[in-house]
Amino acid sequence: MNIPRHRSALLAVAGTALVLSLTACQSDGDSASSATPKATVAATAVSAQPAGGKGTGTSGATGPAEAARSTGSKDSAGSTGSTGSSGSSGTTGTTGSTGERASDSAPLCTAGDVTVRAATQDGPPYTHLVLTARNTSHHACRLTGFPHIQFLESHKQDVPAVGKSKPATPVVLTAGAPAYALVKLSDGGIDEDTEPVSAFSVMLEGDPTVVAVTAPGSEGIAVDPAKALTGYWTPELRNGADDF
């Protein structure tokens, strides 16, 4: 009766040992398997480092790209520097029109700048004369408007001007240059009410100085105050618009 109990006890011990050994093996297998993933992760991490290094290398490559862009921006800045060609807009300075504007801004001619003379126009009966204003100064001046003429002491009003004779641009006289104004004295009729004039007064636009002008001819000129007219100063003699 004791022998079977002893065998069963041995079997139980043996089974327990077998279970423990199997458990140990499984635990070893588990630890081995768990070690393997750890090693794999570590290897992956190590292999990732060179990849990361390459990544940083590529970021280092972006450095030259940025430098290239920066140098490109310098070049473009340089190209903007080349927009110094806009300095060629100094061609606007070359516009001689500025010179024309400068001449247009010349001071007004005064009685001290010009000499005014009178000469008959056409033949008898002498119905027209020409006034010549010559710049005798050493600088340019502008002769604007028309001559303010008074022929007779009995008629203090200025001789009326013919509007159609007005030039399109101001008359700018350089030193020695002349300007002209055509003046009508009468209609030349026999029954016309004329008066002899040996000298008369002329004033320039913008200058109150009276210039005494000697009438042409030994006997002077015959003036009808009701018919007298004057044209504007023009740079050429007897502008077609001055015919009146």
Side-chain angles (χ1 to χ4, degrees):
M1 295 295 293
N2 292 332
I3 293 171
R5 290 180 181 177
H6 179 71
R7 288 180 179 177
S8 60
L10 289 176
L11 291 173
V13 171
T16 301
L18 179 60
V19 170
L20 291 176
S21 63
L22 290 174
T23 303
C25 289
Q26 288 177 354
S27 64
D28 291 339
D30 292 339
S31 62
S33 61
S34 63
T36 301
K38 289 181 180 179
T40 303
V41 171
T44 304
V46 171
S47 63
Q49 287 179 353
K54 290 179 181 179
T56 55
T58 54
S59 65
T62 57
E66 293 175 353
R69 285 194 297 272
S70 64
T71 54
S73 63
K74 289 180 181 178
D75 292 340
S76 62
S79 62
T80 55
S82 64
T83 56
S85 59
S86 62
S88 63
S89 61
T91 54
T92 55
T94 62
T95 53
S97 58
T98 55
E100 293 175 0
R101 288 193 295 271
S103 64
D104 291 345
S105 63
L108 289 175
C109 295
T110 65
D113 296 325
V114 300
T115 299
V116 181
R117 299 185 183 279
T120 56
Q121 177 81 355
D122 300 330
Y126 296 104
T127 60
H128 290 74
L129 60 77
V130 176
L131 290 182
T132 301
R134 187 175 299 276
N135 183 359
T136 54
S137 71
H138 298 290
H139 60 83
C141 64
R142 284 182 299 121
L143 194 60
T144 61
F146 54 88
H148 296 266
I149 303 171
Q150 290 184 4
F151 282 116
L152 301 166
E153 289 292 331
S154 59
H155 294 79
K156 292 296 185 181
Q157 68 272 19
D158 292 347
V159 173
V162 179
K164 67 178 182 179
S165 66
K166 184 177 181 179
T169 57
V171 179
V172 178
L173 299 181
T174 58
Y180 307 95
L182 185 65
V183 181
K184 180 180 178 181
L185 304 176
S186 66
D187 286 337
I190 299 175
D191 298 330
E192 198 168 5
D193 188 12
T194 61
E195 297 184 37
V197 173
S198 60
F200 55 94
S201 66
V202 175
M203 288 190 299
L204 304 179
E205 190 79 25
D207 186 359
T209 305
V210 176
V211 179
V213 179
T214 302
S218 58
E219 296 180 0
I221 53 178
V223 178
D224 183 350
K227 305 292 180 65
L229 295 169
T230 182
Y232 280 71
W233 295 112
T234 58
E236 61 280 329
L237 178 60
R238 189 174 179 135
N239 190 339
D242 289 337
D243 293 335
F244 49 83

